[in-house]
Amino acid sequence: MKTTNSNQAFQRAQMSIPGGVNSPVRAYKSVGLSPLFIQSASGSKITDIDGNEYIDYVGSWGPMILGHAYPEVIEAVRAAAQSGLSFGAPTNLEIDLAELIKSMMPNIEMVRMVNSGTEATMSAIRLARGFTKRDKIIKFSGCYHGHADHLLVKAGSGALTFGSPDSPGVPEAFAQETLIAKYNDLENVKSLIDSYSGEIAAIIIEPVAGNMGVITPEAGFLQGLRSICDLEGILLIFDEVMTGFRVAKGGAQELFHIVPDLTTLGKIIGGGLPVGAYGGRMDIMQQISPSGSIYQAGTLSGNPMAMTAGIATLNEINKPGFYEDLVGNTTWLVNEIKDILSKASVPHSISQVGAMFGFFFVDGEVKSFEEAIQSDTKLFARFFKEMLINGVYIAPSAFEASFVSSAHSESDLEKTRDMFKKSLEKVLT
Ligand SMILES: *Cc1c(COP(=O)(O)O)cnc(C)c1O
């Protein structure tokens, strides 16, 4: 049976896939719609099975920085597939991608490939715990680091010190090893560390938060974390699964001149295929099995398909001028949107770092999760729907980032601006 419209497909999907989707946010629950089922995508455009085309700012949630079906990437993957899909044995491709990552992110001295961002952060935490021989970690409310048990925790309220699980099935005992701090609040971090001195293995953070909308680190915040970590023998983990190769060629660590001990990667380095990676200081990374005793493994890790797509993607973005153009285009669009939002005199907060941006319908500037959740999600839901009607696909949640790719043309950006204005006018009247 072939389903030719998204509503039918969603009905059908729900009979055999929980909630009809293989990752929850795809179900459009927070905007009260039923999801688009996708037929194909090319460049900046994505087409659903109903035959509608949209300018895409989701980009598969970040990986598609070159746009969809980028010819060089597709050709490289096609050629590699002819030589076999997976060997479970080392290849030159893995060395090539590791060296490419190291050259673009010099704080990474060694890197281990895995199959998703979740696996990368989970493994980095195990490594940090094994290396420091401590159990507790600090994460920030609103930061997402994949769905591993000890990371699926954020404070229910600012008053909570211990984490409580976000999901049934996460043992309370695991969650209690995760301490929750408020983003952009150094004093909060210090007080946690005072209370648990000598027990904290790592601080993990999205150096630009992108999973609660886009929230930028305030001046001195990341530097402050670095200093605290140095003082206390805590490892600083930058989760750059989203920001790596997105906010700048060398990720947020290059942009803000901070040297994390470990970095987690994913999304862009797989060029659209399933991949993740974690890397950093050589003395730490060498504690991983088989050079060290901290175990981590994967049947498909470093497989030739994902490596090839990653290499082809990074080679493109490594070309001179790539980020200047991409960031220039993003800045242009964000400035236009700022202008529209101001003129509409709707309360809002908007931020951009490199080729990602986000906005909230809210009073005052958003600096943490606690402020992000004050935003008007009902207005966002109506706005999202209007944007779809007008042919622009942004993430179906008020707490997600938008991504600009190098495939977005001047006319795409102008149309987006016009449709943003039209959609906003519609929902405000
Ligand atoms: C997407 C994301 C992850 C999880 O990656 P998956 O590949 O979905 O498992 C982890 N951390 C951050 C910052 C992310 O944006």
Side-chain angles (χ1 to χ4, degrees):
M1 180 171 82
K2 189 168 185 312
T3 326
T4 54
N5 85 49
S6 289
N7 282 331
Q8 271 175 19
F10 193 43
Q11 295 307 317
R12 185 178 149 214
Q14 288 175 86
M15 307 301 283
S16 39
I17 302 169
V21 292
N22 280 310
S23 196
V25 73
R26 293 181 198 169
Y28 286 26
K29 263 196 167 170
S30 73
V31 290
L33 296 174
S34 82
L36 305 181
F37 278 64
I38 303 304
Q39 184 66 42
S40 65
S42 175
S44 61
K45 310 280 181 14
I46 193 162
T47 305
D48 63 17
I49 62 172
D50 315 64
N52 304 305
E53 186 183 85
Y54 306 89
I55 304 174
D56 179 20
Y57 290 92
V58 180
S60 192
W61 304 90
M64 312 318 298
I65 194 164
L66 303 175
H68 296 281
Y70 191 79
E72 279 80 353
V73 176
I74 299 298
E75 205 32 63
V77 170
R78 197 199 303 273
Q82 306 281 353
S83 305
L85 293 179
S86 182
F87 317 120
T91 61
N92 274 320
L93 293 167
E94 296 162 83
I95 319 174
D96 290 345
L97 184 55
E99 288 177 352
L100 200 49
I101 289 172
K102 281 169 55 174
S103 73
M104 294 169 81
M105 274 193 174
N107 299 324
I108 294 183
E109 297 171 347
M110 281 193 147
V111 59
R112 173 59 71 83
M113 292 295 162
V114 292
N115 300 289
S116 69
T118 293
E119 230 189 294
T121 54
M122 179 189 90
S123 308
I125 297 285
R126 180 183 304 140
L127 174 58
R129 286 173 164 160
F131 183 82
T132 58
K133 303 187 168 57
R134 301 171 178 177
D135 286 342
K136 290 199 190 304
I137 58 168
I138 293 180
K139 80 174 278 292
F140 294 86
S141 56
C143 281
Y144 179 66
H145 304 292
H147 63 87
D149 281 341
H150 50 272
L151 291 166
L152 207 54
V153 186
K154 61 176 185 276
S157 81
L160 281 179
T161 302
F162 278 127
S164 63
D166 274 354
S167 166
V170 176
E172 200 66 50
F174 289 11
Q176 290 195 353
E177 300 301 326
T178 303
L179 309 172
I180 304 297
K182 190 176 170 197
Y183 204 85
N184 273 326
D185 189 341
L186 218 46
E187 289 312 310
N188 189 203
V189 177
K190 283 180 185 155
S191 78
L192 282 177
I193 287 172
D194 285 345
S195 308
Y196 300 96
S197 179
E199 294 181 59
I200 297 163
I203 296 179
I204 185 166
I205 187 165
E206 290 181 73
V208 174
N211 285 287
M212 48 173 161
V214 176
I215 298 181
T216 54
E218 294 193 279
F221 177 58
L222 296 174
Q223 190 57 61
L225 294 180
R226 179 68 273 176
S227 308
I228 293 172
C229 285
D230 288 341
L231 213 62
E232 301 285 335
I234 296 169
L235 298 186
L236 181 60
I237 304 174
F238 272 11
D239 181 356
E240 298 227 46
V241 171
M242 183 185 288
T243 55
F245 310 100
R246 168 59 64 186
V247 298
K249 189 153 130 182
Q253 51 198 273
E254 174 190 280
L255 204 59
F256 299 111
H257 310 286
I258 310 284
V259 180
D261 299 294
L262 294 172
T263 300
T264 54
L265 297 171
K267 300 196 167 116
I268 288 174
I269 61 160
L273 287 175
V275 95
Y278 63 110
R281 264 169 52 191
M282 182 158 331
D283 63 316
I284 304 174
M285 291 302 291
Q286 277 182 326
Q287 302 300 313
I288 301 167
S289 183
S291 51
S293 57
I294 299 168
Y295 196 72
Q296 182 269 311
T299 302
L300 294 175
S301 293
N303 81 85
M305 295 297 93
M307 296 302 97
T308 299
I311 293 164
T313 300
L314 292 191
N315 278 335
E316 289 300 314
I317 68 181
N318 215 359
K319 288 181 178 164
F322 180 87
Y323 281 94
E324 286 78 351
D325 290 350
L326 180 63
V327 175
N329 283 346
T330 311
T331 305
W332 182 87
L333 179 62
V334 167
N335 283 337
E336 295 290 310
I337 290 175
K338 272 184 190 161
D339 196 47
I340 294 165
L341 286 165
S342 309
K343 284 187 179 142
S345 50
V346 58
H348 65 274
S349 173
I350 178 165
S351 38
Q352 174 208 351
V353 185
M356 62 192 259
F357 69 94
F359 57 91
F360 297 100
F361 294 120
V362 70
D363 257 322
E365 198 192 337
V366 174
K367 292 173 182 165
S368 69
F369 179 69
E370 289 70 14
E371 290 150 2
I373 55 174
Q374 304 298 320
S375 70
D376 187 343
T377 53
K378 290 209 176 71
L379 180 58
F380 177 86
R382 282 162 48 221
F383 178 75
F384 169 81
K385 184 176 175 189
E386 221 40 58
M387 286 289 268
L388 271 190
I389 290 169
N390 288 315
V392 182
Y393 176 48
I394 58 173
S397 159
F399 305 109
E400 299 287 352
S402 289
F403 303 108
V404 177
S405 80
S406 57
H408 286 87
S409 66
E410 214 166 284
S411 77
D412 288 331
L413 299 173
E414 282 168 5
K415 181 177 174 198
T416 304
R417 179 227 13 226
D418 295 345
M419 294 307 121
F420 196 103
K421 184 159 185 279
K422 187 174 171 194
S423 303
L424 192 66
E425 278 164 3
K426 179 81 189 272
V427 297
L428 291 179
T429 50

